Amino acid sequence: MTTPETGDLRITNVTKRFGEFTAVDDLSLTVPQGAFFALLGASGCGKTTTLRMVAGLEEPTTGEIRLGDRDITRLRPYQRPVNTVFQSYALFPHLDVFENVAFGLRRRKLRQVKEQVDKMLELVQLGGFGKRKPAELSGGQQQRVALARALINHPQVLLLDEPLGALDLKLRRQMQIELKRIQTEVGITFVHVTHDQEEAMTMADTVAVMNAGKIEQLGRPAEIYEYPATAFVANFLGQSNLLAGEAAGRSGDVVQVAAYEQRFAVPAVRSRTDRGPVFLGVRPEKLALVPAGAAVPAGHQFVAGVVTDSSYVGVSTQYLVRTGWGTELAVFAPNGGDATQLAVGSQVTAHWNPHHAFLLERAPGEGDQTTPLLDSPDTVGVGS
Amino acid sequence: MRRWLADHWVMTVGLMVLLYLFLPIAVVAGLSFNRPSNRLSYDFNAFTTDNWTNLCGPADLCDAVGRSAWIGLLSTLFATILGTLMAFALARHRFRGRSLTNLLIFLPMATPELVMGTSLLALFTAGGLQLGFVTILIAHVMFCVSFVVVTVKARLAGMDARLEEAAMDLYATPFQTFRRITLPLVLPGIVAAALLAFSLSFDDFIITNFNSGNTVTFPMYVWGANQRGIPPQVNVIGTAMFAIALLLVLATNVRRRRGARVA
Ligand SMILES: Nc1ncnc2c1ncn2[C@@H]1O[C@H](COP(=O)(O)OP(=O)(O)OP(=O)(O)O)[C@@H](O)[C@H]1O
Ligand SMILES: [Mg+2]
């Protein structure tokens, strides 16, 4: 069990039903060995269930899970070189911190338990806490014990179910850096479930966005952010302005879109479809505002509107602009040297470089979508 | 002011309830040091420690206590094992008839002892069993099991099943998981259940009376002696039992408090 076998974690067509309810729906994904893989999605979308199937705590209804060339679908949890940091810590209340961390080593009858545990406790900054019971630790300390308890076994795959959820922002950043460092050092495959999209984007090599038991999109963080595959992803990962329109097919390198009696063009390479109902998407920070009538940079596309709200958040000013057809666009204008604040009520033109737009499929009948503005300046925005 | 009144009203009633609860025990403890003026008298006559030193003075008393202790220990052992296994089955496994079993478990606790005693007697007689030690044991195990199941099940229900999952995730086989995680966490419940079973068995009179034949347990000895005058040594047994129970409760409390503080 301890001999490292090369191997990617491969989940193939896995479905998990609880009675009538499908928690994970025909899921397939591959996590390359040594990758830092983040699983992102709204509450209840099946992230924990997926991890539990990889850990062996839940048996897939159908499908296969492989680690390298080994089929582990039906192996018992203690037979898998996989460890979990549980969402609820699940520390053993009757054992002290030292014995909690030593548990896996002792079960496998490994030597030098004391040295290893002491080193691990130092690593998670809990040196000297060995004699305490879990109930005598703060939430963040408990979480670090849970992390140490799993990490000390050097598993082939480490499953982390929102391990940093209870930590304050500073400790969280520290642990993120620490986790990333450990992961790079030991080369363990990390599958990291999180609600925090910023965390997912900064830490992971690959991000998968899950929705209702399915993977909506999988890719490098920048890839997903810059060119989301679905409206759900566009809204969940960062904020988006989505204009409802109709695509009228390709002409040359672009797809023609008609929306609200205006014509737009989106590069074909940034279009998920070229016909039928579509969303024309632009991220708020890719939109710029000029007073109505002022010149728009050559090649940019634009929409006219009225500023209905502006909030100054330091690095940028976040505007809401009401369009002629009544929906609102979010615009983040960076506060560079010559940025002038636009007053609420000003007539403006919002414009963007077509290479920053993207075109998504839209279910007929769906209208414009704008993720609501955030008050907090420190994130790109938390969807949903 | 009203609040002050309310607090003290509650306290007064509380003290009176406590007095009500402990007065009989205090009387028994007092009587254990009493030399009665005659066999049928319960007056405080003169202080003596004879009752304590000459415990086995009255004929058959110590035999009866010993017999009750044996029956208590054996029925506790069987009832605790059986009941614990049942509690695990009911708490951890889904099977047909599970909810029915959960319901039936409460029946022996709800049935009047008189009914249970007579029906057991009918059963033993019909089965041709000789009434005595064994029939008492069977009866005691029977009515203790329900209490054990309920007590252990409550403890199991309060235990996070994820702890066992975490142990298995950390390479513990099902047996090791049971041994290292489940058992230590459920043990207080099992111990409590065993103590309960023992005290239920030790002082059972009604059911035993129907099923004992010629065998005399301690409660039956006291009942029989009552007609001739209860020997004061009975008060010694009563006081000693109370003292042991008190010590056990204190010990577990101290342990729990120390457990919460230090380790
Ligand atoms: N044992 C179970 N029985 C029935 N339904 C379950 C069970 N476990 C999970 N579910 C359901 O499956 C869905 C997915 O649950 P899961 O725990 O995987 O969500 P999640 O993505 O981890 O959510 P969160 O972010 O809130 O932790 C939920 O709707 C949940 O109610
Ligand atoms: Mg979860």
Side-chain angles (χ1 to χ4, degrees), chain B residues 39 65 92 139 225:
Chain B
R39 274 200 326 175
V65 172
R92 288 296 154 81

Side-chain angles (χ1 to χ4, degrees), chain B residues 20-54:
Chain B
Y20 170 60
L21 285 176
F22 287 109
L23 200 59
I25 296 168
V27 169
V28 167
L31 283 174
S32 76
F33 291 105
N34 183 34
R35 187 203 318 277
S37 48
N38 66 60
R39 274 200 326 175
L40 290 173
S41 144
Y42 293 99
D43 303 343
F44 285 98
N45 181 39
F47 180 83
T48 176
T49 52
D50 288 356
N51 303 329
W52 287 81
T53 49
N54 186 23

Side-chain angles (χ1 to χ4, degrees), chain A residues 52 83-84 94 133 136, chain B residues 163 165 169 171 180 261 263:
Chain A
R52 286 172 61 82
N83 288 114
T84 309
H94 58 302
K133 286 277 172 72
E136 296 159 330
Chain B
L163 295 177
E165 292 181 348
D169 187 63
Y171 311 104
R180 303 274 165 193
R261 191 162 41 82

Side-chain angles (χ1 to χ4, degrees), chain B residues 63-78:
Chain B
D63 284 350
V65 172
R67 199 169 292 121
S68 271
W70 258 117
I71 292 174
L73 284 176
L74 287 176
S75 45
T76 299
L77 184 72
F78 292 133

Side-chain angles (χ1 to χ4, degrees), chain A residues 18 21 23 41-50 58 87 161-162 195:
Chain A
F18 295 107
F21 180 76
S43 184
C45 70
K47 305 180 296 289
T48 298
T49 308
T50 307
E58 211 82 70
Q87 192 166 13
D161 200 348
E162 302 194 43
H195 271 120

Side-chain angles (χ1 to χ4, degrees), chain A residues 41-209:
Chain A
S43 184
C45 70
K47 305 180 296 289
T48 298
T49 308
T50 307
L51 288 200
R52 286 172 61 82
M53 288 191 288
V54 176
L57 299 169
E58 211 82 70
E59 215 175 274
T61 312
T62 59
E64 191 188 62
I65 301 172
R66 299 185 81 88
L67 203 50
D69 46 12
R70 197 162 150 217
D71 183 356
I72 62 167
T73 318
R74 321 249 158 229
L75 283 189
R76 312 290 302 140
Y78 51 87
Q79 296 166 323
R80 303 183 184 208
V82 174
N83 288 114
T84 309
V85 179
F86 287 82
Q87 192 166 13
S88 55
Y89 325 143
L91 299 179
F92 307 129
H94 58 302
L95 301 179
D96 62 20
V97 168
F98 184 95
E99 284 305 322
N100 262 282
V101 176
F103 193 88
L105 299 181
R106 293 216 197 280
R107 298 291 80 72
R108 289 182 298 157
K109 311 218 168 10
L110 298 186
R111 281 157 200 288
Q112 286 160 339
V113 171
K114 177 146 174 45
E115 289 84 338
Q116 290 193 57
V117 173
D118 285 343
K119 220 171 94 196
M120 191 45 80
L121 286 179
E122 285 300 328
L123 186 72
V124 295
Q125 301 174 14
L126 284 177
F129 284 73
K131 285 275 161 276
R132 294 226 203 158
K133 286 277 172 72
E136 296 159 330
L137 299 176
S138 74
Q141 291 167 337
Q142 291 181 28
Q143 222 152 15
R144 282 180 280 158
V145 176
L147 194 61
R149 186 179 69 172
L151 211 49
I152 198 170
N153 299 295
H154 293 286
Q156 243 175 291
V157 178
L158 186 70
L159 307 174
L160 302 113
D161 200 348
E162 302 194 43
L164 308 179
L167 305 186
D168 63 53
L169 198 67
K170 185 161 164 279
L171 195 56
R172 200 178 165 110
R173 291 283 171 267
Q174 242 175 18
M175 288 301 291
Q176 285 175 358
I177 294 166
E178 198 55 38
L179 263 183
K180 185 73 189 160
R181 187 182 65 71
I182 293 168
Q183 192 265 341
T184 331
E185 253 174 39
V186 294
I188 296 175
T189 311
F190 274 36
V191 180
H192 182 105
V193 162
T194 175
H195 271 120
D196 179 347
Q197 45 154 319
E198 213 188 346
E199 183 174 299
M201 298 219 278
T202 52
M203 295 175 78
D205 319 317
T206 311
V207 175
V209 181

